[in-house]
Amino acid sequence: MKQEELHYAKTHEWVAVAEEGGAQIATVGISAFAVEALTDLVFIELPAVGKQVEAEQPFCEVESVKAVSDIYAPVDGEVVAVNTALPDALETLSSDPYGAGWIAKIKITNDAGLANLLDYAAYQKQCEEEN
Amino acid sequence: MSTNNQLAHTPLFDWHSAHGGRMVEFSGWSMPVQYTSIVEEHQATRTAVGLFDISHMGRVLVNGPDAAKYLDHLLTRSVVDMKPHQIRYSLVCNEAGGILDDVLCYRVTLENGEHSGYGLVVNAGNRQKILAWMENQQADFDVKLEDITTAYGMFAMQGPRAIEIFDPHTSCELTSMRYYTGQVAQVCGVECFVSRTGYTGEDGCEIVCPSEQLPAVWEQLITSASAVGGRAVGLGARDTLRLEAGMPLYGHELDESTNPIQAGLDFAVNLRDREFIGREAIVGFQRDHKQSVRVGIQMEGKRVAREGATVLLGDQQAGNVTSGTFSPTFNHPIAMAYVCTSAAAPGTPLAVDIRGQEHPAQVVPLPFYERGK
């Protein structure tokens, strides 16, 4: 997926929204900036399929040598798919964060959360400020 | 703790910044937590050599006619019988036997073999506290204290190739220098203090060097180290290395509410035929079988038990984790914890509550890692 076309949460998740079978599905991952900042990832605990998630609430945990970090749901909805290949190939998060490194797909039940997301330019600016 | 951006800089601050060091606040100092990756820096130290800036640690000289008597009163291990060149790991305790700091005490011996006093290296976060404590205890002794923390910097070279890499740059006879000895010596043409000590479980040395010359000395040694896959190592890997080596860290395994016996530091307490601050309390702790003790814990899954996590024996709380990380050497999570004696035997199956979920674990002997001799 093209970074320029994605939306971003202030907490460094990226989101791609697509129409699938009449529903809005958000594919969620974490940005290259986030992966770089976390470094030395050792473990990811994926959410269960069917889990109800709430925008801006933690729904997944990623463990690095240094610390455990939450990954936040960018929208309200239900987890309909998770990237089961990821736990055994965490390096995918750094080699292809916007493609094979996707984390979960959420069926959006309330798209109000989408309005809080940043576009590429605004997110780039945030990353520069954090650096 | 500095909160106003007035962080102290080591002599290597510019070097760290120029070489990708991710700088963080540590005990009032701006220090690199990592340059590239904790795992890469960890492995470089275990397989070749790592160079560590430890200039943030406090360095205090103790001189004067009563220097030995004075330190004997302050430290849990005797210094009066220290031989020339000798170094001792020791503790500074309060009257209640609580640990104020863990320190290295150096008998400073000049190049001509003459004894000139003692040096203490203290934890960065404890420097002001220990200096104040030392000044308060000074009245009855004819001693002179000198804080040389900023005048001198300090770095460590650790790893199986540390000595081989360091050797051509120094006047020391490194291979014949025993562990826990130190001496004044030339390093890259600069008069330094070189000791066979370290905090990683590896062979190596630590070098105290005048601050002004330190960057040039470091640069030469980094260049030699790079040729064999060595590199600069930040605080992140310093922590994973010392955890694997089972070494306690002040503020985590050690603090004023813990005592040397429960910390498993009996070897650093010398009770016979001497008096020192905290002695009576420590004798009492030796008889107290109810207190919790420091143990090593190995997790069964991939989840890391972090500081503060509750350790469970059955459905009872047995203690708390004091430090935990993912071990790059063993490829699974390890931790240290204080647990009640009934949960302390190696092999005891435990669980650790990590964010509300119980994860199986077991007690294992410390250290986790011991280098091949």
Side-chain angles (χ1 to χ4, degrees):
Chain A
M1 268 172 266
K2 283 197 179 140
Q3 290 180 59
E4 291 80 2
E5 292 165 11
L6 299 170
H7 293 276
Y8 298 86
K10 291 191 179 76
T11 44
H12 301 286
E13 295 80 13
W14 59 259
V15 186
V17 183
E19 209 40 52
E20 276 178 40
Q24 275 196 306
I25 305 291
T27 302
V28 181
I30 54 175
S31 73
F33 179 89
V35 175
E36 161 74 20
L38 290 167
T39 73
D40 298 320
L41 295 172
V42 294
F43 181 75
I44 188 164
E45 182 151 292
L46 294 168
V49 171
K51 183 187 168 93
Q52 300 293 323
V53 300
E54 227 180 289
E56 297 180 8
Q57 294 300 313
F59 82 119
C60 177
E61 289 174 2
V62 62
E63 189 100 61
S64 75
V65 170
K66 209 162 49 189
V68 61
S69 305
D70 284 316
I71 298 174
Y72 294 85
V75 290
D76 293 343
E78 179 190 334
V79 176
V80 291
V82 293
N83 186 352
T84 51
L86 209 48
D88 294 322
L90 268 183
E91 61 281 2
T92 319
L93 277 176
S94 41
S95 61
D96 191 10
Y98 305 106
W102 68 277
I103 292 169
K105 291 182 193 286
I106 300 170
K107 187 165 103 184
I108 300 174
T109 50
N110 173 1
D111 62 5
L114 288 173
N116 294 327
L117 299 177
L118 306 172
D119 65 15
Y120 178 72
Y123 179 65
Q124 285 296 105
K125 192 160 167 274
Q126 182 192 320
C127 292
E128 275 163 33
E129 281 163 8
E130 282 183 28
N131 233 336
Chain B
M1 204 59 45
S2 188
T3 52
N4 51 2
N5 291 331
Q6 301 276 314
L7 295 180
H9 288 183
T10 78
L12 292 171
F13 177 82
D14 291 341
W15 192 92
H16 299 316
S17 306
H19 291 82
R22 191 175 290 173
M23 307 304 282
V24 298
E25 193 274 341
F26 184 85
S27 296
W29 295 78
S30 178
M31 297 298 291
V33 66
Q34 65 191 69
Y35 303 87
T36 54
S37 126
I38 292 175
V39 172
E40 283 171 24
E41 292 162 26
H42 181 109
Q43 281 161 350
T45 307
R46 287 273 181 256
T47 58
V49 51
L51 273 80
F52 303 71
D53 182 9
I54 49 173
S55 301
H56 61 305
M57 300 194 79
R59 287 166 289 282
V60 184
L61 288 179
V62 182
N63 283 297
D66 292 341
K69 251 194 333 191
Y70 167 73
L71 285 173
D72 223 34
H73 172 66
L74 282 183
L75 300 177
T76 55
R77 267 173 114 178
S78 160
V79 305
V80 288
D81 62 336
M82 280 177 80
K83 296 185 187 74
H85 303 297
Q86 203 177 354
I87 299 167
R88 275 186 184 161
Y89 176 79
S90 195
L91 303 165
V92 182
C93 285
N94 58 28
E95 294 288 355
I99 301 171
L100 292 171
D101 201 9
D102 62 333
V103 303
L104 282 189
C105 177
Y106 300 66
R107 183 167 169 177
V108 182
T109 309
L110 304 177
E111 265 181 303
N112 61 12
E114 206 175 295
H115 170 53
S116 80
Y118 296 85
L120 287 186
V121 172
V122 308
N123 282 293
N126 289 337
R127 178 172 149 222
Q128 301 307 337
K129 178 181 82 173
I130 290 297
L131 278 169
W133 179 259
M134 290 175 80
E135 282 163 11
N136 283 338
Q137 302 293 337
Q138 203 180 338
D140 298 335
F141 300 93
D142 186 1
V143 289
K144 188 170 144 260
L145 306 180
E146 192 185 352
D147 180 1
I148 58 161
T149 306
T150 51
Y152 289 79
M154 189 172 183
F155 63 96
M157 292 186 68
Q158 300 279 291
R161 304 191 70 174
I163 296 306
E164 160 205 338
I165 295 304
F166 185 50
D167 190 60
H169 296 277
T170 184
S171 62
C172 278
E173 289 291 336
L174 287 163
T175 46
S176 61
M177 256 176 98
R178 294 213 331 270
Y179 201 48
Y180 274 75
T181 64
Q183 64 187 79
V184 173
Q186 299 290 313
V187 180
C188 303
V190 179
E191 189 175 280
C192 294
F193 190 88
V194 176
S195 57
R196 294 286 253 135
T197 49
Y199 193 54
T200 62
E202 293 299 334
D203 193 11
C205 58
E206 293 178 314
I207 299 117
V208 176
C209 175
S211 293
E212 280 172 28
Q213 280 105 320
L214 194 145
V217 172
W218 167 273
E219 193 75 58
Q220 287 187 56
L221 293 168
I222 276 280
T223 304
S224 296
S226 304
V228 299
R231 53 169 71 207
V233 179
L235 292 179
R238 182 166 157 87
D239 195 51
T240 54
L241 290 158
R242 71 93 194 167
L243 241 165
E244 285 185 352
M247 293 169 171
L249 174 60
Y250 201 88
H252 298 265
E253 284 72 39
L254 312 179
D255 57 32
E256 290 175 36
S257 72
T258 54
N259 68 69
I261 306 303
Q262 65 182 140
L265 300 177
D266 314 46
F267 76 92
V269 181
N270 162 220
L271 297 165
R272 288 184 66 182
D273 306 324
R274 58 187 294 261
E275 287 299 328
F276 61 89
I277 303 169
R279 183 184 183 280
E280 263 178 61
I282 294 170
V283 170
F285 291 129
Q286 274 193 318
R287 293 189 294 258
D288 180 3
H289 300 296
K290 277 179 285 184
Q291 60 180 346
S292 60
V293 292
R294 181 167 66 99
V295 296
I297 286 181
Q298 183 178 317
M299 303 301 296
E300 271 172 33
K302 289 270 183 184
R303 287 313 297 261
V304 181
R306 308 280 178 186
E307 181 175 6
T310 303
V311 179
L312 300 153
L313 176 64
D315 53 6
Q316 298 289 312
Q317 176 167 358
N320 289 97
V321 171
T322 47
S323 302
T325 192
F326 188 84
S327 158
T329 302
F330 302 113
N331 206 32
H332 61 65
I334 55 171
M336 286 197 265
Y338 278 94
V339 298
C340 55
T341 46
S342 58
T348 307
L350 301 170
V352 181
D353 182 327
I354 302 173
R355 302 183 128 207
Q357 266 183 37
E358 286 184 26
H359 294 265
Q362 68 164 315
V363 179
V364 293
L366 290 173
F368 302 98
Y369 171 86
E370 228 167 340
R371 78 184 136 103
K373 303 270 179 202

